[in-house]
């Protein structure tokens, strides 16, 4: 049986989910660059032929660490689903002569390189500038039109995003974004291959979205993601995932599969995603491309990645379309020919719908909860106001332990301040949006209050 080195780091689909599916197609050797989630370590011991941990891997030696471990175990492929390890795994695979994303992987990770590649190919995107110092940011703001969005070039999960309403916001936003990137690195949510990645930023103009012209129903956000794969340099779209409106500044709250857009609109979106992916020159990898939807049919590509969507995007696709992307991609890296769809699948191809909701301490309008609460998955499952035909579960691997205080939402920290992740399955996409809308409003009533010692006194 073929051997695969599975490189684990923060992010991506739940590790337990992905690891099980890779193990179904190969002998797995696990290299953990970050701590495995609670409950996964024991399962990994039973699923894997070997488990090695390296939590202090530095940027300088990471590629060789991965390549050396792959040689030791005789790996026929090296795989990761983490945003933070994609570039290192691609480079290690290239050194080993194995299939992977290829030498252009960094273009799907570093937003500066990504945007420059798209600019050369005429891909529609917000106007932007790359910045590495406060002085460069100040100069860039003089060339662009406010409001602007400052974002870290190597970030994920909407961390370090800052809206600049005017010149008076620049200095504070620069300092805050740097502080968030430092804290993200401490938590393990940082690029593992590039030293000093937290110093690189871009600033871009904020384009106006218009969800109501694209979606069949209310409550949707004004952007989608096109999930796909690159097979020997050829982009193969899989489906579209929709979103609920983001929490200020642009933190994702929920993803829903499939996106409830019409066939003609989906075709146009997929065509643009294909142009964006093709411009990066990737070889063999999953793809996750976010596209902003505007009025009068306008679209802008926001970013793409050389990996599948994170959170529960991949399990949602398996549930509604019956495609095990993890197993299929493992087979592809091992030289097989999995049955990727010949076109992007639509709501008509789906059996029901599924979505994942990030629990943040803000209401539907983005206002902070008036009181602190404790995370309690049993209370959520017991009292969630979902429809009669819907099923809700809590993704334990991606949620805080029960009894933990729900973090106060920090706009700059984004998903770093999440408390839990909920998965809803329903008969159609609009039902998932309805359930999530109700759940967001009900969450402060469902979760127990957090009473501090000072209040008790």
């Amino acid at each position: 049986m073929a051997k695969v080195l599975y490189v684990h780091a923060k992010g991506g689909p739940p590790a337990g989910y992905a690891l099980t599916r890779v193990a179904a197609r190969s002998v797995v050797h696990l290299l953990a660059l970050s701590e495995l989630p609670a409950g996964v370590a024991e399962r990994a011991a039973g699923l894997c032929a070997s488990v090695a941990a390296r939590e202090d891997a530095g940027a300088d030696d990471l590629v060789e660490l991965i390549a050396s471990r792959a040689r030791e175990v005789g790996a026929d492929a090296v795989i990761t689903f983490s945003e933070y390890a994609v570039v290192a795994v691609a480079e290690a695979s290239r050194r080993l002569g194995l299939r992977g994303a290829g030498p252009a992987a960094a273009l799907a990770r570093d937003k500066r390189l990504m945007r420059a590649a798209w600019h050369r190919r005429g891909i529609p995107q917000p106007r932007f500038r790359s910045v590495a110092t406060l002085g460069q940011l100040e100069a860039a703001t003089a060339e662009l039109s406010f409001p602007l969005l400052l974002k870290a070039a190597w970030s994920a999960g909407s961390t370090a995003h800052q809206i600049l309403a005017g010149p008076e916001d620049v200095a504070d936003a620069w300092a805050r974004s740097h502080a968030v990137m430092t804290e993200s690195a401490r938590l393990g949510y940082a690029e593992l291959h590039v030293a000093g990645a937290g110093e690189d930023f871009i600033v871009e103009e904020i384009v106006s979205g218009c969800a109501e012209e694209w979606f069949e129903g209310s409550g949707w956000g004004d952007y989608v993601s096109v999930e796909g794969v690159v097979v020997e340099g050829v982009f193969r779209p899989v489906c579209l995932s929709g979103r609920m409106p983001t929490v200020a500044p642009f933190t994702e709250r929920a993803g829903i599969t499939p996106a409830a857009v019409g066939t003609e609109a989906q075709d146009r979106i997929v065509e643009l995603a294909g142009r964006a992916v093709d411009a990066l020159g990737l070889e063999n990898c999953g793809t996750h491309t976010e596209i902003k939807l505007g009025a009068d049919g306008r679209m802008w590509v926001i970013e793409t990645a050389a990996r599948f969507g994170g959170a529960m995007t991949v399990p949602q696709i398996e549930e509604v379309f019956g495609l095990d992307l993890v197993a299929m991609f493992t087979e592809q890296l091992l030289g097989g020919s999995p049955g990727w769809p010949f076109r992007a699948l639509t709501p008509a191809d789906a059996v029901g719908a599924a979505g994942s909701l990030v629990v943040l301490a803000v209401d539907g309008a983005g206002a902070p909860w008036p009181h602190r609460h404790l995370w309690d998955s049993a209370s959520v499952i017991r009292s969630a106001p979902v429809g009669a035909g819907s099923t809700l579960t809590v993704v334990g691997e991606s949620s805080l332990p029960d009894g933990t205080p729900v973090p106060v939402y920090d706009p700059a920290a984004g998903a770093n301040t999440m408390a839990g992740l909920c998965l809803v399955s329903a008969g159609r996409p609009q039902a998932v949006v309805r359930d999530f809308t109700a759940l967001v409003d009900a969450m402060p009533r469902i979760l127990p209050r957090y009473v501090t010692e000072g209040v008790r006194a």
Side-chain angles (χ1 to χ4, degrees):
M1 197 173 188
K3 299 176 182 178
V4 169
L5 179 65
Y6 183 112
V7 179
H8 166 75
K10 298 276 190 178
Y17 170 92
L19 190 58
T20 300
R21 283 152 179 77
V22 175
R25 297 293 180 96
S26 64
V27 175
V28 180
H29 294 269
L30 175 64
L31 175 60
L33 303 180
S34 61
E35 184 179 359
L36 290 166
V40 176
E42 291 184 8
R43 295 174 59 192
L47 288 169
C48 301
S50 71
V51 177
R54 179 67 184 274
E55 298 181 19
D56 60 343
D60 293 339
D61 65 355
L62 181 57
V63 172
E64 185 53 36
L65 168 69
I66 295 170
S68 296
R69 185 59 183 159
R71 295 187 193 101
E72 290 172 6
V73 302
D76 301 294
V78 183
I79 195 168
T80 190
F81 300 100
S82 167
E83 177 87 351
Y84 307 112
V86 161
V87 178
V89 166
E91 177 60 20
S93 297
R94 189 185 66 81
R95 291 186 187 181
L96 295 164
L98 303 176
R99 284 185 172 186
L107 274 68
R109 182 74 180 96
D110 183 342
K111 296 176 178 62
R112 301 167 305 168
L113 300 177
M114 185 188 306
R115 294 296 186 84
W118 288 343
H119 179 72
R120 291 191 295 270
R121 298 284 285 270
I123 306 297
Q125 60 179 318
R127 292 180 65 213
F128 76 99
R129 295 289 186 274
S130 299
V131 294
T133 67
L134 177 57
Q136 289 179 3
L137 177 58
E138 291 171 338
T141 60
E143 300 173 2
L144 302 173
S145 299
F146 289 100
L148 299 170
L149 177 64
L150 177 66
K151 59 170 68 170
W154 297 85
S155 68
S158 303
T159 55
H161 283 24
Q162 295 273 281
I163 292 178
L164 312 179
E168 66 280 1
D169 295 335
V170 171
D172 287 346
W174 183 251
R176 180 60 182 144
S177 290
H178 274 76
V180 169
M181 290 303 293
T182 299
E183 176 64 11
S184 293
R186 186 187 68 80
L187 296 173
Y189 296 100
E191 174 60 32
L192 295 171
H193 176 49
V194 178
E199 302 297 317
D200 302 326
F201 289 79
I202 67 168
V203 61
E204 65 184 34
E205 295 181 346
I206 297 176
V207 293
S208 298
C210 185
E212 55 269 21
E213 292 190 14
W214 294 84
F215 288 93
E216 301 170 355
S218 61
W220 293 87
D222 57 10
Y223 71 112
V224 295
S225 58
V226 181
E227 321 303 343
V229 66
V230 178
V231 181
E232 298 299 328
V234 178
F235 174 62
R236 301 285 294 272
V238 172
C239 67
L240 267 63
S241 293
R243 298 291 189 276
M244 290 180 70
T246 57
V247 180
F250 288 102
T251 302
E252 293 187 359
R253 193 195 287 272
I256 299 98
T257 309
V261 298
T263 301
E264 182 179 348
Q266 173 159 320
D267 289 344
R268 292 186 57 234
I269 293 168
V270 169
E271 188 274 335
L272 178 57
R275 289 171 56 198
V277 173
D278 289 345
L280 303 183
L282 301 169
E283 296 179 359
N284 289 280
C285 59
T287 62
H288 173 76
T289 307
E290 295 180 354
I291 295 179
K292 183 88 164 183
L293 308 174
D296 302 319
R298 293 194 67 188
M299 295 181 287
W300 302 267
V301 184
I302 303 301
E303 60 185 56
T304 196
R307 45 86 183 165
F308 296 125
M312 294 298 285
T313 302
V314 173
Q316 288 166 203
I317 291 172
E318 182 174 8
E319 178 175 341
V320 303
F321 291 118
L323 295 177
D324 184 345
L325 299 188
V326 171
M328 294 169 72
F329 184 56
T330 302
E331 183 179 340
Q332 178 181 320
L333 290 184
L334 291 171
S337 300
W340 299 109
F342 291 102
R343 57 168 176 80
L345 301 175
T346 70
D349 300 307
V351 178
S356 46
L357 174 74
V358 175
V359 179
L360 301 166
V362 291
D363 63 18
W369 292 350
H371 306 287
R372 296 291 303 277
H373 293 267
L374 299 174
W375 176 248
D376 185 70
S377 56
S379 295
V380 174
I381 293 171
R382 181 175 59 251
S383 304
V386 298
S390 302
T391 302
L392 179 141
T393 56
V394 171
V395 185
E397 182 181 316
S398 303
S399 302
L400 295 174
D402 287 343
T404 303
V406 174
V408 174
Y409 176 65
D410 180 349
N416 287 0
T417 54
M418 67 180 284
L421 188 66
C422 298
L423 177 68
V424 163
S425 302
R428 57 193 184 91
Q430 196 63 44
V432 178
V433 174
R434 178 201 63 211
D435 289 340
F436 281 164
T437 301
L439 184 55
V440 166
D441 291 337
M443 194 63 73
R445 300 192 302 271
I446 291 172
L447 295 176
R449 286 277 296 273
Y450 172 43
V451 181
T452 65
E453 292 300 322
V455 172
R456 290 194 187 100

